[in-house]
Amino acid sequence: MLLADFQLLFDPSPPWSIPVLGPIALVLFAAGLVFLTLWTYRGSQVPIQRKVIVVILRLMALIVALLTVIRPTFAVSDEDKSPSTLVVVSDCSKSMTVADELDNKTRWDTLTRMLGTCESTLNRLRDEHNITVKMHRFAEDLFDDDRGPDGARTDFGQMLHTVAQRYGQEPRLRGLLILSDGADNGARYPALGEAARLRAFNCPIDTFALGRENTSSQQRDLAIVAANVDPSPVAIKGKLAVRTTIDAPGFTDTRVTVRLYFDDKPIMAQEATLNREVGNKVVLESTAPVTPGEIKVTVKVDPRPGEASAANNELTTYLTVTKEGTSVLIVDRLRLERTYLRRALAGDPRFRVFEAIRQTNDRQRGNTAELYNFDRQAYDVIVIGDVSAQRFAGGDDSILPKIEELVRIKGTGLVMLGGLETFAAGGWLGTKVADALPVFVDSTVQVEEPVQLVPAPTARGDFLMRIGTDAATSELLWRKLPSLPGFTRFGRRKDGAAAVGVSSAGVPLLVRQNYGKGRTAAFALDETWRWQQLGQTKSPRNNEGIDAHAKFWRQLMLYLAQQEEMEGSVWIKPDIRRIPVGGKINFGVGVRGKTGLDLTDGRYEVQVIGPTGPVPEPITTTRSGDADRGTFWKTDQPGEYRMVVKGLAKDADGSTITGEATARFLAFQDDTELLRPAANHDFLTRLAQAGGGAFHMADELQRFLEQLPKSGTGNAAPKLKYMPDWRSTTLGMFPPILFLLFVILLGCEWGLRRWWGMV
């Protein structure tokens, strides 16, 4: 043992163990006893030699008594013999059958031979160093049996996740050793994130690499290996991106055509250059259909001459298109009203907000031109801010008639806001947009005087003006909101138009009407952002004005989009839509209320119908955070699976919402293990770095195991031996040997004093 392995420790008995006060009191008490011992023999006529002998005996007895109180001990580190656990996992996926090792041996043969060579070292770790070695194999998951290399894929993320669950609470982990070629094909959990999780448990990960990085199948092939739709689900008419991964062994730097299909109908085609043998990323951007429901999304790459197989040139997944969600286009110049309107809508997940900023009369360019592609964008509501007709159209005479057609034929909502360049002042008179508005724009003027918006007498409790819990509280809140500095005075209302918001003097400020299949509104105010000041000027502050401002604008958009009375709905959302056979799929379920927000007290029944019929096992869901989640494992058969959920929940108004929703996913026979036979040592290096360990070649395993007892114990604290161990049953709280020594010393001291006539 080295001297550094020893630590002198003290373990005082009560009451001397009381922090701070105990040691101080013990020192004072001992000093007092020493003083009394020396003072006792002060001035005696006894020869000095006899005094010294008696005092020494008395002090030695005092020292013995103090030892039993402070209980000193030497703590000796016994690191090498402390019980600990080492986890070793061996890759048993199909890629381990590739014969690219020395003498054309397969990776699996090399692995098994190497473990056989290390067997005696592993036994010594167990017998001589008290290290328990846990041996596992892994492919799709972590296995305890001695299966061969037949795993359909190598899922490092799943394996690390299982190791963390099984061994994360082990008190003394030496580490995790991974023996593999690094050909990761997992999709459930991010491998590097799971490695970092194990590192947080102080379990270092060391990787040992097999196989060659330049091994090739010698086949020329195009294969779509992944296609993920983002976002999923997506609202009707919402933008989406299909992120596709294409492998191209033998076809690097080849120009290909990638095609996108919805329910087998062609949507778009895109040219792409595949610069790599594996992992080429191609993103296909499109717009979701206008009809809600579940659609089949298929990506295809046109075959090339010389391909080994064209069967893997396409890939299918599924996407849920929801009816919820309101797409709003705001066309305005740079001003505060536009900023606060956008924030009010963007703060609610039901709205998707797009902005076209028009500062000049120039023709639309870039992003604005794309936003003006009304046939493709299909907005639910168009908001015309403080911009003139000329600036809005940008010299394109077809724009304004197109807006009117969208309202009349497609049912798009339309609102024009007040300002210096709207209505008649903005040159809107005589345009097709003016035909759609609920007021005539021939005599509008801007009035610069304070104005307060309140519900019209005939519109108390109307959806548009309901910013409180009921009609009465709404009207009180309208009168509390700050007045605004001005408004636009409308022309006459058209037949069928109704004023729902007026000034305190009864001047119409918010007028609406139905126009064809759509709804339109004219709003005379242009500085409603000032409403947010309510509750912000006094202490304590509150968000009364901010909430009222947001609620008004959101309800106006919902009304114009004809979604103010939407029904509640049940939904189900699988995390992914494609899994390998035998994999698991996680999903979320919920009930959405009439307000568009998810309810928290739902009850659900989930059934899965597989390729051969219904799966008999019931699937349970549990509340996790702010969502209800479930997991399905029975995916042993390749093909299409359909998940059906029936849900029930109470809405905010007390009504019961019930419904049923379905979602489909595919279980596919995974063959990517042998499509990419090259080993991936770079991945193993990054995995080891993320796990706090190191990368090694496989032939370094023997030396690594021999050095392991000297390398520490990961998350294990050193085990200590105590000499003497005052808390052991042998010594007890007051050791008999010390008691006997104490009696002998005091007896000798007393006997000598009697003999020498000192008492």
Side-chain angles (χ1 to χ4, degrees):
M1 290 284 183
L2 296 176
L3 186 60
D5 293 331
F6 289 86
Q7 303 177 56
L8 179 60
L9 304 175
F10 298 93
D11 184 21
S13 60
W16 314 109
S17 59
I18 299 174
V20 182
L21 296 179
I24 295 176
L26 181 60
V27 170
L28 294 176
F29 181 72
L33 289 178
V34 171
F35 173 76
L36 288 174
T37 299
L38 297 176
W39 181 80
T40 301
Y41 298 101
R42 181 176 59 86
S44 174
Q45 301 302 317
V46 178
I48 187 65
Q49 295 89 343
R50 294 183 178 182
K51 285 185 180 181
V52 171
I53 292 173
V54 172
V55 168
I56 289 175
L57 289 173
R58 179 73 66 88
L59 291 177
M60 288 178 64
L62 176 61
I63 291 172
V64 170
L66 289 175
L67 285 176
T68 64
V69 172
I70 64 175
R71 300 189 292 191
T73 184
F74 283 102
V76 184
S77 175
D78 190 26
E79 181 71 33
D80 291 348
K81 302 293 179 146
S82 302
S84 58
T85 302
L86 175 69
V87 182
V88 181
V89 296
S90 302
D91 187 348
C92 64
S93 63
K94 290 180 181 178
S95 65
M96 296 296 288
T97 62
V98 175
D100 62 353
E101 290 285 343
L102 189 65
D103 297 330
N104 289 326
K105 297 289 187 182
T106 67
R107 299 168 187 174
W108 182 253
D109 290 339
T110 301
L111 172 61
T112 53
R113 178 184 55 80
M114 182 177 60
L115 289 177
T117 303
C118 295
E119 185 174 359
S120 60
T121 305
L122 293 172
N123 291 334
R124 283 199 304 273
L125 292 178
R126 180 192 62 211
D127 299 336
E128 299 177 12
H129 300 284
N130 209 7
I131 299 176
T132 300
V133 181
K134 298 289 188 179
M135 305 290 293
H136 298 284
R137 295 181 179 177
F138 80 99
E140 301 93 339
D141 205 337
L142 191 70
F143 306 121
D144 296 326
D145 54 18
D146 293 332
R147 64 183 60 196
D150 57 359
R153 68 185 185 283
T154 312
D155 195 334
F156 278 86
Q158 178 65 56
M159 178 270 291
L160 293 170
H161 182 80
T162 305
V163 169
Q165 286 185 318
R166 187 176 300 186
Y167 295 104
Q169 302 304 316
E170 284 281 338
R172 299 177 62 81
L173 272 178
R174 287 273 178 175
L176 171 65
L177 310 187
I178 301 175
L179 287 59
S180 173
D181 55 15
D184 182 33
N185 295 306
R188 301 176 189 173
Y189 301 98
L192 298 184
E194 292 297 320
R197 179 185 175 196
L198 276 170
R199 183 176 186 174
F201 293 148
N202 290 323
C203 177
I205 297 175
D206 288 88
T207 56
F208 295 82
L210 296 112
R212 297 181 181 178
E213 294 185 282
N214 58 357
T215 300
S216 173
S217 65
Q218 304 300 321
Q219 290 184 339
R220 304 178 71 229
D221 195 24
L222 295 176
I224 301 179
V225 296
N228 300 306
V229 186
D230 182 32
S232 177
V234 63
I236 56 174
K237 299 173 286 188
K239 288 187 176 181
L240 60 86
V242 182
R243 306 185 188 281
T244 305
T245 303
I246 303 176
D247 288 353
F251 285 104
T252 54
D253 299 322
T254 300
R255 191 81 173 164
V256 298
T257 301
V258 185
R259 304 181 187 276
L260 177 65
Y261 298 80
F262 289 166
D263 287 333
D264 299 323
K265 296 179 180 179
I267 300 299
M268 63 172 296
Q270 181 173 310
E271 298 290 320
T273 301
L274 307 180
N275 298 315
R276 306 168 60 182
E277 283 206 348
V278 297
N280 295 282
K281 305 296 183 182
V282 179
V283 179
L284 306 174
E285 295 183 343
S286 185
T287 303
V290 298
T291 304
E294 190 171 61
I295 62 171
K296 182 170 69 174
V297 178
T298 303
V299 181
K300 297 181 181 180
V301 57
D302 289 354
R304 302 286 298 180
E307 272 197 76
S309 171
N312 52 12
N313 284 37
E314 69 176 71
L315 188 149
T316 295
T317 185
Y318 297 96
L319 172 67
T320 299
V321 181
T322 62
K323 66 180 179 180
E324 291 81 7
T326 304
S327 177
V328 179
L329 172 66
I330 303 174
V331 183
D332 206 343
R333 57 185 174 84
L334 294 173
R335 60 176 185 145
L336 284 176
E337 182 71 353
R338 174 197 58 82
T339 301
Y340 282 91
L341 170 56
R342 181 196 69 229
R343 292 177 182 174
L345 300 180
D348 189 321
R350 292 175 293 177
F351 296 95
R352 301 183 307 280
V353 183
F354 304 88
E355 290 184 290
I357 307 301
R358 299 295 294 153
Q359 291 291 97
T360 69
N361 296 341
D362 296 341
R363 195 176 186 87
Q364 302 86 8
R365 300 181 184 277
N367 182 59
T368 301
E370 177 64 21
L371 292 173
Y372 269 39
N373 187 345
F374 294 110
D375 290 328
R376 180 177 179 182
Q377 301 294 352
Y379 303 107
D380 294 300
V381 181
I382 298 174
V383 180
I384 301 176
D386 192 11
V387 293
S388 66
Q390 184 179 4
R391 183 172 298 180
F392 185 99
D396 187 346
D397 295 337
S398 68
I399 292 294
L400 301 187
K402 183 64 177 179
I403 299 294
E404 186 271 343
E405 180 183 308
L406 289 174
V407 177
R408 178 169 47 84
I409 304 299
K410 299 290 184 65
T412 302
L414 175 68
V415 60
M416 181 175 286
L417 310 184
L420 298 175
E421 296 188 29
T422 58
F423 298 101
W428 291 94
L429 179 62
T431 66
K432 296 296 290 183
V433 168
D435 294 344
L437 293 177
V439 297
F440 292 101
V441 298
D442 53 351
S443 60
T444 52
V445 295
Q446 189 70 13
V447 179
E448 302 296 337
E449 62 182 40
V451 63
Q452 185 92 33
L453 177 65
V454 295
T458 57
R460 290 187 174 94
D462 188 276
F463 176 78
L464 285 180
M465 306 303 290
R466 197 188 311 150
I467 60 174
T469 56
D470 53 35
T473 56
S474 295
E475 189 154 1
L476 288 175
L477 183 53
W478 278 117
R479 297 187 184 278
K480 284 174 61 178
L481 291 173
S483 60
L484 305 182
F487 67 97
T488 300
R489 188 183 297 275
F490 298 140
R492 292 177 297 109
R493 277 180 283 162
K494 295 180 180 178
D495 292 341
V500 291
V502 297
S503 70
S504 300
V507 177
L509 299 177
L510 176 59
V511 180
R512 69 182 179 195
Q513 74 168 7
N514 294 330
Y515 184 80
K517 291 185 177 181
R519 292 174 175 176
T520 64
F523 188 48
L525 305 177
D526 67 343
E527 293 190 40
T528 62
W529 60 268
R530 297 180 184 271
W531 291 341
Q532 298 197 12
Q533 296 171 358
L534 177 63
Q536 299 294 302
T537 57
K538 295 181 180 180
S539 183
R541 293 185 176 184
N542 63 70
N543 291 335
E544 193 174 20
I546 295 175
D547 294 341
H549 174 267
K551 190 170 185 179
F552 168 76
W553 281 111
R554 292 169 185 173
Q555 291 181 171
L556 178 58
M557 297 301 111
L558 290 173
Y559 170 81
L560 293 171
Q562 304 181 51
Q563 296 181 13
E564 77 277 17
E565 295 296 338
M566 73 166 68
E567 294 297 324
S569 59
V570 175
W571 57 266
I572 181 169
K573 178 185 175 184
D575 289 358
I576 53 178
R577 294 302 191 105
R578 285 177 54 85
I579 60 171
V581 168
K584 72 174 181 180
I585 186 164
N586 298 314
F587 61 91
V589 294
V591 178
R592 190 159 294 135
K594 297 175 183 178
T595 62
L597 301 179
D598 287 333
L599 307 177
T600 59
D601 63 342
R603 299 196 302 273
Y604 308 96
E605 296 179 6
V606 182
Q607 175 71 53
V608 174
I609 301 169
T612 58
V615 179
E617 291 83 356
I619 303 167
T620 59
T621 61
T622 57
R623 193 72 181 174
S624 177
D626 58 354
D628 288 273
R629 305 280 297 168
T631 301
F632 178 65
W633 290 88
K634 301 292 183 178
T635 57
D636 301 327
Q637 298 295 324
E640 180 181 280
Y641 289 74
R642 183 162 59 93
M643 309 181 78
V644 182
V645 58
K646 296 179 180 179
L648 178 149
K650 288 286 187 181
D651 206 348
D653 60 3
S655 62
T656 299
I657 294 180
T658 61
E660 181 176 301
T662 64
R664 292 177 290 173
F665 67 92
L666 279 176
F668 62 93
Q669 195 66 54
D670 195 352
D671 58 357
T672 56
E673 279 290 316
L674 298 179
L675 283 178
R676 294 181 286 183
N680 192 343
H681 294 180
D682 177 65
F683 171 77
L684 292 176
T685 301
R686 290 184 286 115
L687 191 69
Q689 291 173 345
F695 169 83
H696 314 267
M697 294 304 297
D699 56 11
E700 299 175 38
L701 178 63
Q702 175 77 18
R703 183 182 178 190
F704 178 89
L705 293 174
E706 292 172 351
Q707 297 294 321
L708 185 66
K710 305 176 183 179
S711 63
T713 55
N715 67 350
K719 183 179 180 181
L720 300 177
K721 286 186 176 180
Y722 299 98
M723 300 186 303
D725 189 347
W726 292 86
R727 295 181 180 270
S728 71
T729 56
T730 303
L731 290 178
M733 294 299 293
F734 196 88
I737 295 176
L738 290 179
F739 177 73
L740 180 61
L741 180 60
F742 178 78
V743 172
I744 291 173
L745 290 172
L746 284 183
C748 290
E749 187 258 358
W750 178 254
L752 288 174
R753 290 173 64 200
R754 292 279 298 186
W755 188 17
W756 291 333
M758 299 174 65
V759 294

